[in-house]
Amino acid sequence: MIVTVDLGKYLTSDMLQELKDKLVTLGRRYIDELINEPTYEKFTELSTAFSREIGFLTRDLEGRVRPCVRHADAYYVKKKVLVFLTHRDEAEALINCLRSVGYEAKVFEPSNEGIRVVIDKDTPNKVH
């Protein structure tokens, strides 16, 4: 399960203008590490580390969500979205914990179907 918390807005154009060089340098290093060890565990470790190093995951934010981390495999921030990766049986506890520290969460469940193309009959050139 994926549990997210919206922390605000951060336009991609603004992020790239402010962090382009740092994103390129750090991104390359972290991607190389993941390619060398392409496991879920390595992905979770690197996601959190990258979020800290780029400055998205601040000490203040980590301190605030620290009680909730026990309900997740990992957490990281992408732009202004706090993301937790958790198991179905921990999702409710995680959501309740986040609520207790002042955050409202959204829950997403990845599809096991793989890629699916839906063609809108009303607009045949539009793919969802």
Side-chain angles (χ1 to χ4, degrees), residues 8-107:
K9 295 205 183 285
Y10 192 16
L11 296 175
T12 300
S13 58
D14 292 343
M15 178 189 70
L16 292 174
Q17 184 177 348
E18 294 168 20
L19 299 171
K20 180 182 176 190
D21 294 336
K22 195 172 181 182
L23 285 166
V24 168
T25 302
L26 293 177
R28 189 171 293 133
R29 189 176 84 217
Y30 280 90
I31 287 172
D32 287 346
E33 283 191 54
L34 184 60
I35 289 170
N36 287 332
E37 189 180 332
T39 64
Y40 175 76
E41 293 78 13
K42 192 64 168 181
F43 172 78
T44 60
E45 173 193 324
L46 293 173
S47 296
T48 303
F50 178 81
S51 292
R52 284 183 187 126
E53 194 165 351
I54 203 73
F56 294 159
L57 185 57
T58 64
R59 287 183 187 171
D60 182 52
L61 179 58
E62 281 199 271
R64 191 165 175 188
V65 300
R66 185 166 287 119
C68 306
V69 172
R70 71 179 185 270
H71 301 293
D73 288 345
Y75 64 104
Y76 59 92
V77 177
K78 182 175 189 240
K79 294 188 346 180
K80 292 272 185 175
V81 177
L82 175 60
V83 178
F84 289 88
L85 305 178
T86 190
H87 295 273
R88 181 176 283 115
D89 62 340
E90 287 285 347
E92 187 175 341
L94 176 57
I95 292 163
N96 290 335
C97 184
L98 289 167
R99 191 172 291 128
S100 77
V101 296
Y103 291 122
E104 284 302 315
K106 295 178 184 173
V107 181

